[in-house]
Amino acid sequence: MNGGAGGATGAGGSTNVSGGFGGATSGNGGATFVRGGAPTDGNGGELQLVGRDAATTTAANRQGGAVFVTAGLSTGTTGGGSVTITSGQGGATGAGGAVSITSGAGGSTSGNSGAVSISSGAVTSCGTGGITLSVPFAKCGNNVGGSIVLTAGRS
């Protein structure tokens, strides 16, 4: 599925994949699922969301394409949509999958690496959300729980 090509100086066309519309008075909109390939005997297929690299045909300073994940806004007094990132569960004796958030590297000759920010939502009228870092207790073996390590760079 591809959007149309842009003209000599125009942007290419967008492509949207959407679930169905809800009922006329109160039906929820339909969900949209994009899944990796199902195996018959092997690993499940990956799903990758990748912004495109910049092109430098006519100018040297172009940004790469961004990737956004945004949950929907609410109406009335209900909460907004959530964003959840969950890695896969391990097999009988295998470790669960990791979740990594990594900023981009700096330029090849100069430039800082990108920042990683984790913050609660902006305050509009009253209290704020929190930030929780937690590691569960161990359940077997040497009974050593996981750790949380925060490290600042050296100057």
Side-chain angles (χ1 to χ4, degrees):
M1 183 180 322
N2 293 309
T9 60
S14 297
T15 302
N16 293 309
V17 178
S18 300
F21 288 96
T25 59
S26 63
N28 295 334
T32 302
F33 298 93
V34 179
R35 300 176 188 265
T40 52
D41 183 21
N43 297 329
E46 293 181 353
L47 175 62
Q48 297 185 12
L49 302 176
V50 180
R52 290 291 231 170
D53 293 345
T56 59
T57 304
T58 60
N61 296 311
R62 302 283 192 206
Q63 283 186 274
V67 176
F68 296 93
V69 178
T70 305
L73 303 175
S74 68
T75 61
T77 59
T78 62
S82 297
V83 174
T84 302
I85 300 172
T86 305
S87 60
Q89 178 177 334
T93 60
V99 174
S100 299
I101 300 174
T102 307
S103 64
S108 60
T109 59
S110 65
N112 297 333
S113 63
V116 174
S117 299
I118 299 175
S119 59
S120 61
V123 178
T124 57
S125 62
C126 54
T128 65
I131 297 173
T132 302
L133 301 175
S134 63
V135 178
F137 294 106
K139 291 186 176 182
C140 60
N142 61 8
N143 293 320
V144 175
S147 60
I148 296 174
V149 178
L150 300 177
T151 305
R154 298 179 188 173
S155 56

